[in-house]
Amino acid sequence: MSNNNPFEHNYFIGYVNHVSPQYIKVHFPSSTLLNRTIFSGEEFYGGLIGTYVTVEGEQFGFIGKITEIDLPEKERLSLSEKAFQSSDFHPTAKVQILLSFDYFNSEVALRTLNSFPNIGAKVYICPSKFIQKYVMEFGKKIDDNELLISIGQLTSNRNNCVKLSQQSLFGRHCAIIGTTGGGKSWTLSKLLEGIVKNNTKAILIDPTGEYKCCCDNGKFISLSLGKEAYFPYQDLTIEDLFYLVKPAERVQAPKLLEAIRSLKCVKNGIGDEKLAQQSINLSSGTPQIIEGEYFKEFIKDGCLKKSKMFKILFERYYYKNSKDLDSDNLDFELKDLPKQLVFECIYDSDKIESSKFGSNNDNDVSMCVSLITRINNILKSENLQKIFGYGIDISQMSNLKDQIDKFFSDNLREKFLLRIGFEDIGYEARTREIAANAIGKYLLKKAREGDFLENPVVFFVDEAHQFLNKNIVDEYFSSLQLSSFDQIAKECRKYGLFLCLATQMPRDIPLGTLSQMGTFLVHRLINYNDKEAIKQACSSADSDMLAFLPVLGAGEMVLSGVDFPMPISIRVEPPDHPPNSHTPKFKNLSENNNSV
């Protein structure tokens, strides 16, 4: 009989003696059924943790996984090698039910259990060829043209290759999780290679530069942020600036917003264009004034000095141009911001003439000194200058925003991966988080405009814990959080922008973002809080699955997802272009000196 039959009597190991919604228990009639056997050229181990089994049911068959093996209490006291070999022992096993299948159409795996095994149902070791048809193209829909990614083999049987449906893998976002040395980087490289082979566009944020040679150079573009490319500061948002300079709420934040509006007025041409050729009578006895000419008197070295200016004229200009002045970008001269903050520190109205802004307020200036100092420090930071393109010569650097647009254009239709390296970016002033958030926000904007509906894009973020959940909260500053990745995770599935996060510390990823991940590729995890984060975010992550995580070997992982019928353990194949993630080896320095 073909070993495709899951209920061949040579695979029999026991009977069901306990049924619950989460698991069943199996009684072994003889302890010899746990021993190694060979049938049809295949080795079987009936008593190993992680072994797959099939269970007979009335209408459906079931596939399960052994998670625990035990001996009855009364038999433990008489345990000996001789007694064990004489079949005097009757172990029991706890089996997690993973999926069910129709007897008449066993090719189709059923996600939900419409029935449960009965007490006394027979249990068999699952032959490799039977389970192989479920994992060869795991998650595949009924579509002959569906893209697949080869990832590795089952840990329980190296002959069972696993190919994952690209749509099921990324269609609801994806998370790659594992401690250092668990194989997380190899998994990310395998997915990148699969994406490129399937001619799908992808963008990778590479914090350390380990993926510089992650795939075929013919389909691969690499840019180092801060060295080969910059992200223009004008396309940052006010949220980014607040995160960077940390203004206090009561005085500094309002003054900073007013300074931004004033500098945008100057950039918008407040002193150059004729806003109204007709004159306006401000009040009785006030001469008629032409707006455009009037504002020129208050432009000082690129800044707007509002002291003694008629309020009504400024407010009239503001309302006429509110769309530009209230935009969320930083389209103004950043170097003038400290000086403009000083000019904003004025009284609301003049003591003599209430229709005008008041004179300088020294108390407000003293309240803003710390903010002005922080802004000056940022303006002098060489790291920030290279990243955001201000205060230096950028003629030899590429505009990253333009490079992203070019990557998606028809001119680069044969390029499928854009690597954005952060290896030349320092860690001061949270520049890496802001740069990553700015890139995410720009992709979010393109997604909302419908740029990815016809050709979906996968956005990979390695070491995601460095960029997400970076709050600033203390007694001086309000709570600020960079939110682009959270917004992508929550809304961009319908726009064709899919997120793939790789992290060794899932506890540092916001739970709201992590819970949006539909697929989890989990390598070795030891920390309790990390496992709890997975348990809360992944619907199929029960205690049995989590129990396997601390004992996974290098390169082994558990795959679980909404579009996959059951969690499976996979050994990842080495990628064609391994990342530069090896651990340096210690050397005997004394021997090196002697050889010299």
Side-chain angles (χ1 to χ4, degrees), residues 444-455 495:
L444 175 64
K445 175 176 176 290
K446 292 178 71 67
R448 286 170 171 167
E449 293 171 352
D451 289 7
F452 308 138
L453 291 175
E454 295 296 326
N455 298 298
Y495 295 134

Side-chain angles (χ1 to χ4, degrees), residues 95-360:
V95 175
Q96 179 187 12
I97 297 297
L98 301 177
L99 59 82
S100 60
F101 58 88
D102 193 320
Y103 284 133
F104 302 101
N105 187 12
S106 61
E107 301 289 335
V108 179
L110 305 176
R111 179 69 181 179
T112 57
L113 299 178
N114 297 320
S115 63
F116 295 91
N118 294 329
I119 296 292
K122 292 183 178 180
V123 182
Y124 305 82
I125 295 296
C126 187
S128 61
K129 288 190 177 180
F130 183 77
I131 198 171
Q132 188 175 27
K133 60 188 175 184
Y134 293 115
V135 300
M136 274 290 291
E137 299 174 353
F138 212 50
K140 183 178 179 180
K141 312 295 183 184
I142 304 176
D143 184 354
D144 293 334
N145 297 320
E146 187 164 0
L147 300 176
L148 301 174
I149 295 177
S150 178
I151 190 72
Q153 302 86 29
L154 288 178
T155 54
S156 59
N157 192 317
R158 301 290 179 84
N159 296 320
N160 284 345
C161 297
V162 180
K163 294 182 180 179
L164 304 178
S165 161
Q166 181 173 307
Q167 187 67 35
S168 296
L169 189 61
F170 298 112
R172 297 175 185 265
H173 307 303
C174 177
I176 306 170
I177 296 168
T179 57
T180 299
K184 175 171 54 67
S185 298
W186 275 27
T187 299
L188 181 55
S189 292
K190 286 294 292 184
L191 296 182
L192 290 172
E193 289 177 358
I195 285 282
V196 171
K197 288 178 181 177
N198 290 336
N199 296 337
T200 301
K201 293 280 189 179
I203 290 181
L204 166 68
I205 289 184
D206 180 8
T208 59
E210 62 181 305
Y211 299 95
K212 285 184 177 180
C213 301
C214 59
C215 64
D216 179 14
N217 288 334
K219 298 182 176 182
F220 175 47
I221 300 174
S222 177
L223 289 173
S224 176
L225 189 62
K227 182 177 181 181
E228 301 169 332
Y230 69 95
F231 192 94
Y233 78 85
Q234 292 89 346
D235 292 300
L236 295 177
T237 64
I238 293 176
E239 174 191 60
D240 297 327
L241 182 63
F242 269 54
Y243 191 89
L244 194 60
V245 302
K246 305 180 289 292
E249 275 189 340
R250 292 189 177 181
V251 176
Q252 295 181 355
K255 294 299 182 184
L256 181 57
L257 286 174
E258 287 299 324
I260 290 171
R261 292 191 187 101
S262 296
L263 289 177
K264 284 185 176 181
C265 287
V266 176
K267 180 76 173 181
N268 205 41
I270 191 172
D272 298 326
E273 61 185 69
K274 304 287 185 177
L275 300 176
Q277 294 298 331
Q278 73 276 14
S279 55
I280 175 173
N281 195 334
L282 296 175
S283 60
S284 58
T286 303
Q288 293 181 336
I289 301 172
I290 298 178
E291 293 180 23
E293 294 296 329
Y294 174 75
F295 283 124
K296 285 182 179 180
E297 300 178 10
F298 296 91
I299 305 295
K300 306 293 183 183
D301 298 326
C303 296
L304 185 64
K305 189 175 182 180
K306 291 191 289 187
S307 179
K308 305 298 182 180
M309 177 192 293
F310 279 108
K311 293 181 180 180
I312 191 172
L313 287 181
F314 180 77
E315 292 170 357
R316 178 176 177 178
Y317 177 84
Y318 174 78
Y319 285 116
K320 282 183 177 181
N321 299 273
S322 58
K323 183 177 180 180
D324 294 328
L325 302 182
D326 286 336
S327 62
D328 200 32
N329 59 38
L330 304 183
D331 190 16
F332 58 85
E333 290 295 333
L334 192 62
K335 64 179 177 61
D336 295 326
L337 188 55
K339 191 189 306 180
Q340 184 63 52
L341 268 170
V342 176
F343 288 156
E344 296 298 334
C345 295
I346 57 176
Y347 291 99
D348 291 337
S349 60
D350 187 65
K351 295 180 180 179
I352 300 175
E353 206 167 353
S354 60
S355 60
K356 293 182 178 181
F357 289 111
S359 58
N360 293 342

